[in-house]
Amino acid sequence: MTIRVTFHPENQQSPVIQTPIPPKPEVSAHSTEGIGIRIRKNNFSSTEKDKDKIAEILAELQSYIGLETVKRFILDLQAFVEIQKRRVQEKLVSEPLVLHMIFRGNPGTGKTTVARLVGRLYKEMGVLQKGHVIECERADLVGEYIGHTAQKTREQIKKALGGVLFIDEAYSLARGGEKDFGKEAIDALVKAMEDNKDNLVLILAGYRQEMDWFLQTNPGLRSRFPIHIDFPDYTLDELLAIGNLMFKTRQYELTKEANEALRSYLQFLLHSHPYAGNARLVRNLVEKTVRKQAVRLFQKSTSSREELIQILPEDINMETI
């Protein structure tokens, strides 16, 4: 059963969540039966300290700029897990938690950040033992000769046990065709999902179209990842807010004129760069601006505290990123 989250152009609108009625269980090679995290009473002995930590993690989630629909979906997911815990306490039938996910979106839209938060949240909720996140890509999984790939993939899986294995640009595992060793990595991952169903969450991430293609190359994968989340590009106002927050964290302040210059430049980038709507580009712009301010101030023999903090319009780096 795939939970599909679709984002509207306006951040304020609620996501469209399509949850098909699950078919009657049947035995097949693609069945997800038995690969979920089964809720047990000893898994969920929540204390007040645990609840405080969960509240802290959720507060951090809410502090993120943008990602409104992602935030709401994570809260829905938390509610589902908590209700399953209550059903166990009342000796009612509970659903196995199949929490493997597909994150789709452009670079810098928060996929890795949310994956780290999800790991911590699952740990505090008793779903995972450790909640750490092991981040890897094709080079960390695929070897150079027969047998090497399975070994490398198992090593990454072993590191991730008790937490989350996050694979960025996961579609690259299927790009080499039938004879490529990437297929061996996929097979090893599928086996690990079954062998470690109580102690591992797998998150595959990448561009939207490429991830759709990747799932089509292996129909068995789609059935094993019931949660699909799309990460939208940031709006102009969100990018500006991210930029201001990055400057503030570094103890810099933009003048009113510099803030307008930053807005104008971001607007230009949104129209000229194919993947401009992300935080990674803003971070690069902030770092270049700080360096340009340093070069400007270096021309003077001394600088006041205010000068060291202040970002002027001429500091906004107008070079193409």
Side-chain angles (χ1 to χ4, degrees):
M1 182 174 67
T2 299
I3 302 175
R4 176 75 64 184
V5 182
T6 304
F7 294 87
H8 292 288
E10 297 82 8
N11 265 356
Q12 304 304 320
Q13 294 184 353
S14 300
V16 176
I17 302 180
Q18 299 171 340
T19 307
I21 299 174
K24 294 181 179 180
E26 57 183 47
V27 179
S28 74
H30 298 160
S31 174
T32 58
E33 183 71 21
I35 67 171
I37 298 175
R38 175 65 66 179
I39 298 179
R40 295 180 296 273
K41 287 186 177 180
N42 59 0
N43 254 17
F44 298 103
S45 54
S46 298
T47 64
E48 288 302 319
K49 185 177 180 181
D50 294 331
K51 293 178 181 179
D52 289 342
K53 288 182 178 179
I54 292 173
E56 288 178 10
I57 293 171
L58 294 178
E60 179 182 335
L61 173 67
Q62 294 302 324
S63 73
Y64 294 162
I65 295 171
L67 300 176
E68 297 304 323
T69 43
V70 176
K71 294 174 185 176
R72 286 196 290 270
F73 185 75
I74 296 298
L75 292 175
D76 290 347
L77 201 57
Q78 181 213 9
F80 173 73
V81 173
E82 289 293 341
I83 291 303
Q84 296 309 306
K85 288 163 58 176
R86 295 181 190 179
R87 289 180 63 86
V88 169
Q89 292 171 357
E90 296 298 330
K91 298 181 180 180
L92 295 170
V93 174
S94 64
E95 295 289 331
L97 302 177
V98 185
L99 300 174
H100 306 298
M101 304 180 182
I102 299 291
F103 284 3
R104 307 186 310 173
N106 291 329
T109 48
K111 298 186 297 295
T112 304
T113 299
V114 172
R116 293 169 183 164
L117 183 140
V118 165
R120 290 161 49 205
L121 181 63
Y122 283 171
K123 189 259 184 181
E124 299 305 331
M125 294 179 67
V127 175
L128 293 171
Q129 293 179 3
K130 299 178 182 178
H132 65 299
V133 177
I134 298 297
E135 302 169 26
C136 60
E137 52 190 22
R138 177 186 167 92
D140 301 307
L141 302 171
V142 179
E144 300 175 357
Y145 51 85
I146 296 175
H148 190 208
T149 294
Q151 178 186 344
K152 292 185 70 173
T153 303
R154 283 196 297 267
E155 288 174 356
Q156 296 299 325
I157 292 168
K158 185 177 180 181
K159 293 178 185 177
L161 289 180
V164 174
L165 181 60
F166 178 83
I167 304 176
D168 200 11
E169 298 183 358
Y171 48 82
S172 63
L173 295 175
R175 274 186 169 169
E178 286 297 320
K179 296 183 180 180
D180 183 71
F181 292 134
K183 184 177 183 299
E184 189 178 349
I186 295 173
D187 293 340
L189 290 169
V190 170
K191 185 176 185 302
M193 293 167 69
E194 296 175 350
D195 295 345
N196 304 284
K197 57 182 177 291
D198 290 333
N199 205 27
L200 178 68
V201 169
L202 187 60
I203 298 179
L204 306 185
Y207 294 100
R208 291 182 181 88
Q209 292 183 348
E210 282 83 348
M211 290 304 295
D212 284 343
W213 168 83
F214 174 57
L215 293 175
Q216 290 172 5
T217 64
N218 190 320
L221 279 177
R222 184 179 294 275
S223 64
R224 298 173 190 276
F225 290 86
I227 303 171
H228 296 188
I229 304 181
D230 289 338
F231 285 70
D233 289 334
Y234 289 102
T235 65
L236 174 60
D237 286 339
E238 289 168 349
L239 289 174
L240 188 62
I242 291 171
N244 276 284
L245 180 60
M246 289 180 176
F247 279 118
K248 183 177 180 181
T249 301
R250 292 167 170 79
Q251 291 189 312
Y252 290 95
E253 293 179 3
L254 281 75
T255 64
K256 182 179 179 180
E257 295 75 15
N259 196 65
E260 287 302 316
L262 178 61
R263 172 181 283 275
S264 297
Y265 188 39
L266 288 173
Q267 192 167 30
F268 163 75
L269 290 174
L270 282 173
H271 286 90
S272 62
H273 198 287
Y275 303 117
N278 60 66
R280 191 174 303 170
L281 182 141
V282 176
R283 184 180 66 240
N284 292 339
L285 177 57
V286 168
E287 291 173 353
K288 288 185 177 182
T289 299
V290 168
R291 290 198 297 269
K292 199 166 184 180
Q293 186 238 37
V295 171
R296 174 173 61 82
L297 294 179
F298 187 69
Q299 308 303 318
K300 302 172 61 176
S301 58
T302 61
S303 302
S304 67
R305 178 182 174 85
E306 182 180 2
E307 289 175 323
L308 292 170
I309 292 174
Q310 200 170 66
I311 297 294
L312 303 179
E314 54 263 38
D315 299 326
I316 305 297
N317 198 309
M318 297 301 289
E319 297 176 2
T320 302
I321 295 180

